[in-house]
Amino acid sequence: MTVQQHSLRGVGFGPLLAAQRAYAHRSSTRSKFGLMVPEAFVRGIRDLGYRGNGDAVAELIDNAIQAYADRVDVLFGYDGTSSNKKPAQLAIVDNGHGMESEMIRMAVMWGGTHRENDRSGLGRYGYGLPCSSVSLGRRFTVLSQVGGGGLYSVCLDLDGITAGEYTNPQGEIVVPEPKAAALPAFVADHIAECYPKGWTSGTVILIDKLDRLEWATTQGLRDNLCRQFGVTYHKLRGEAALFVDGTYVDPIDPLFLTPDFHLHDLDDERAQPFDPVRIEVRDPESGAYQGAIVLRYAWLPPSFGSVDKERDAVGLNANSRFSILKEYHGLLFSRNGRLIDVQTRTPWTTFINNDRYIKVEVEFSATLDELFGVTTSKQQVTISAFIWDLLRQAGLPKAIEQLRNKVKDAKVARRLEALTPREGMQRLSERAMSVAGAMAEPGSNPQWDLALRVSPYRVEFEKAPRHPFFRVTRHAGARVLYLNTAHPFYEELYDGPVSTPELRSSLEILLFSLGDVMLAEPEDAKERSRLQLVSWSNRLEAALGMLAAHLRVGEDQDVGQLDWTDETS
């Protein structure tokens, strides 16, 4: 199954540059390039914030892709120092169509865009460039050139605003006029290396006075941005090549369904898809077509995030996939091919940590922005009741439960394999019951070598929904205890988060003893015992359900930590 390839390309640069000129002319007449707000607005807009540095930089990558760039670089500068432990500057460099000088001036303003309310690309409001830039540093500079034109720049310094450097004689805070510019040295070096035939057009967003970087080192910043952008833009891989500090950003499908994408074939385990579902959204009154939603589903084997498949993805045993499983956990929302949000709550269910092995993506077109409640920063959705109802009708709640059941069955199968003794070995409970049975027989010798005796007791597992949590039968001369893996007794108690080999052996002995008594009953009493067992099972299921709702222990770890060696040691 391949990921749908999105395209944001148009018919050429000419119409776009003409639209920029017309917009800049209209806006300069109306606003006189005023920021329209006092300096407190600029300080406050920083505190509105983004979820992280990656979301802020992604706003600038969006602009580059929509400007038809086929290469976008996130560069780290060190302000002329010899240390490269942590960047002092960030530069987002693209080779798109660029901006003419007056448009650069407009682009620095909040809301300054000729793409106002455009639904064909990634941006709509014109807030992304200034908002994202000031969320990272206290000064940013926009440098741009169009084909055949010169390089111009406009700089906005928050400290300068506070000092009154941008205030005109009338008391208005205004954006300065664009000036002819030269590229910073580290950007010029990069362009000379990557564009040997010349950088004819494009834009550079230079951010310095960095005071809000989350990562303390260059490596931490680079690795985390690469991982985030690999997921965020995996469907737009055909639009532009992305690089962070010279490292190519490999596309990562968070559902791990796309061959050739990073981490898809990390090992032999593969994500298992459900069929995708397409939903047409129509106006409930007029029936007019408004847009489309596509649902993608996948479930992952419970050892998908592990290096050693017999152990949990904990500590050093977590592979490169595990960070994706944790970070992109819940419903994934993609707008026009770009991931914008992940939510763990729906009207029907809440995703818990154990649900990291199920993946659901909701892809929608930008024409549905109002119904999805897309924010100006494109990093959050607030789903309307109308959309939730459409998703319900399309079977999303049922699909989530089916995915959970697939993972649960896979975990049970994995655990049963771990709990099954090696060939020729017996369970401790089987040997103990053999001793007890032998000692109860006249003339028995309790001193014999029990390891050489073939046990008349055996433990087996079965999946039997809506049946009692255990049963004991006679088969081939042995008493067989069947444990029902579909009953909460198995998952919550017998193989629960705090279960130990000793506890499991004790429970097996308890149930063997009850089964022995039930098998020894006269025929006319066995039906009464069967009904009692059904009643016990129903009460036990209800009680364990209440307990699980209040005491979720160990949800951060996968089921099945111990291998057979651990259990018998």
Side-chain angles (χ1 to χ4, degrees):
M1 177 179 178
T2 60
V3 175
Q4 178 184 359
Q5 295 297 311
H6 292 255
S7 179
L8 305 175
R9 304 296 178 181
V11 296
F13 295 171
L16 295 170
L17 297 177
Q20 287 184 7
R21 285 192 292 272
Y23 175 79
H25 176 72
R26 293 193 308 269
S27 298
S28 63
T29 302
R30 181 177 66 251
S31 70
K32 298 180 181 180
F33 295 104
L35 282 174
M36 309 297 291
V37 289
E39 59 195 54
F41 168 79
V42 181
R43 293 197 304 270
I45 207 72
R46 300 192 79 202
D47 296 329
L48 289 179
Y50 288 79
R51 285 179 305 216
N53 292 167
D55 292 288
V57 176
E59 289 270 28
L60 305 174
I61 295 175
D62 289 351
N63 290 343
I65 293 175
Q66 198 150 356
Y68 297 165
D70 59 25
R71 175 172 179 141
V72 184
D73 286 87
V74 180
L75 305 182
F76 298 165
Y78 300 92
D79 200 21
T81 66
S82 58
S83 172
N84 60 357
K85 292 183 178 180
K86 185 176 181 180
Q89 301 156 297
L90 292 180
I92 292 78
V93 182
D94 72 61
N95 63 346
H97 55 57
M99 292 181 281
E100 294 182 340
S101 59
E102 287 305 303
M103 187 62 208
I104 300 174
R105 196 178 189 191
M106 297 301 307
V108 172
M109 297 170 57
W110 277 263
T113 179
H114 64 288
R115 294 192 291 261
E116 172 64 29
N117 206 31
D118 178 15
R119 305 302 178 98
S120 62
L122 302 177
R124 273 181 57 194
Y125 300 102
Y127 281 63
L129 191 158
C131 278
S132 60
S133 298
V134 300
S135 75
L136 295 165
R138 299 195 312 279
R139 180 171 62 197
F140 70 97
T141 306
V142 180
L143 307 94
S144 192
Q145 68 181 33
V146 299
L151 183 70
Y152 289 86
S153 72
V154 172
C155 177
L156 190 66
D157 188 326
L158 302 189
D159 297 329
I161 292 176
T162 302
E165 296 173 8
Y166 293 82
T167 304
N168 67 11
Q170 289 74 40
E172 298 174 315
I173 300 175
V174 296
V175 176
E177 294 184 1
K179 298 178 180 179
L183 292 169
F186 76 100
V187 176
D189 291 343
H190 162 79
I191 287 179
E193 179 181 351
C194 296
Y195 299 94
K197 296 182 180 180
W199 185 66
T200 58
S201 66
T203 299
V204 176
I205 311 298
L206 175 67
I207 309 169
D208 55 4
K209 294 187 177 181
L210 298 173
D211 59 351
R212 296 195 174 186
L213 288 186
E214 298 169 346
W215 307 101
T217 64
T218 291
Q219 181 177 346
L221 182 62
R222 178 179 58 245
D223 292 349
N224 282 278
L225 291 182
C226 281
R227 183 173 63 250
Q228 180 171 346
F229 297 157
V231 175
T232 299
Y233 296 102
H234 74 276
K235 290 187 178 181
L236 298 171
R237 62 175 303 186
E239 297 294 316
L242 302 181
F243 295 84
V244 176
D245 193 32
T247 299
Y248 176 71
V249 176
D250 287 305
I252 303 172
D253 180 358
L255 275 66
F256 301 96
L257 292 175
T258 309
D260 301 326
F261 275 19
H262 188 47
L263 302 179
H264 175 270
D265 56 355
L266 181 67
D267 51 43
D268 293 334
E269 290 191 320
R270 295 291 182 270
Q272 302 299 313
F274 283 6
D275 290 337
V277 176
R278 186 177 188 275
I279 307 168
E280 286 194 355
V281 181
R282 296 186 177 275
D283 186 279
E285 296 182 1
S286 66
Y289 177 78
Q290 294 179 289
I293 302 171
V294 176
L295 303 177
R296 283 202 307 149
Y297 302 105
W299 66 272
L300 312 173
S303 54
F304 197 71
S306 299
V307 177
D308 179 353
K309 300 302 181 181
E310 294 184 0
R311 297 188 295 115
D312 293 338
V314 177
L316 295 178
N317 197 48
N319 64 26
S320 301
R321 291 167 170 163
F322 191 71
S323 60
I324 306 298
L325 301 184
K326 289 183 64 176
E327 291 176 30
Y328 300 92
H329 165 60
L331 287 185
L332 283 63
F333 291 91
S334 293
R335 172 185 179 270
N336 278 13
R338 194 263 215 202
L339 185 71
I340 64 170
D341 197 10
V342 182
Q343 296 193 2
T344 58
R345 294 183 180 274
T346 76
W348 326 286
T349 188
T350 297
F351 285 73
I352 60 175
N353 288 340
N354 283 335
D355 288 328
R356 66 171 68 103
Y357 294 97
I358 70 173
K359 298 297 178 185
V360 182
E361 181 192 54
V362 182
E363 163 75 32
F364 64 94
S365 54
T367 55
L368 302 176
D369 277 357
E370 284 75 17
L371 293 175
F372 277 87
V374 177
T375 61
T376 56
S377 62
K378 303 188 297 295
Q379 62 175 339
Q380 185 178 0
V381 295
T382 304
I383 312 301
S384 66
F386 176 65
I387 292 296
W388 280 129
D389 193 49
L390 286 181
L391 296 176
R392 180 187 58 79
Q393 294 175 27
L396 178 58
K398 183 177 180 180
I400 291 173
E401 289 308 308
Q402 290 175 337
L403 291 168
R404 283 173 170 159
N405 288 335
K406 288 288 188 181
V407 174
K408 182 178 179 180
D409 289 347
K411 285 185 175 182
V412 168
R414 176 192 179 205
R415 188 57 170 159
L416 291 182
E417 182 178 356
L419 290 174
T420 301
R422 296 187 180 95
E423 185 176 355
M425 296 181 64
Q426 293 175 297
R427 292 176 178 276
L428 179 60
S429 62
E430 294 171 345
R431 286 183 286 164
M433 289 303 298
S434 298
V435 172
M439 293 179 65
E441 297 175 0
S444 63
N445 181 5
Q447 303 300 321
W448 61 14
D449 184 358
L450 295 176
L452 300 178
R453 176 180 170 87
V454 177
S455 173
Y457 290 87
R458 192 168 73 250
V459 177
E460 299 285 354
F461 301 90
E462 64 180 357
K463 183 179 180 180
R466 297 181 297 279
H467 282 70
F469 65 100
F470 84 99
R471 64 187 178 96
V472 177
T473 65
R474 290 189 178 93
H475 179 71
R479 293 172 177 84
V480 183
L481 167 63
Y482 288 93
L483 296 177
N484 184 2
T485 63
H487 193 282
F489 166 81
Y490 175 83
E491 184 175 3
E492 302 291 342
L493 185 56
Y494 177 82
D495 195 31
V498 295
S499 179
T500 64
E502 293 79 7
L503 175 61
R504 285 190 288 272
S505 296
S506 299
L507 290 172
E508 290 166 3
I509 290 173
L510 172 65
L511 298 181
F512 267 131
S513 301
L514 292 174
D516 274 353
V517 174
M518 294 170 66
L519 289 174
E521 288 182 327
E523 289 299 324
D524 59 353
K526 287 185 177 180
E527 178 61 18
R528 182 180 64 185
S529 294
R530 186 191 69 80
L531 293 176
Q532 285 180 331
L533 179 56
V534 171
S535 179
W536 294 345
S537 294
N538 291 339
R539 290 196 176 196
L540 181 60
E541 180 173 6
L544 289 175
M546 292 292 294
L547 182 64
H550 293 283
L551 301 174
R552 288 289 183 187
V553 180
E555 287 179 354
D556 287 332
Q557 297 189 6
D558 301 334
V559 174
Q561 290 190 5
L562 300 177
D563 59 22
W564 180 249
T565 302
D566 292 326
E567 293 197 26
T568 55
S569 59

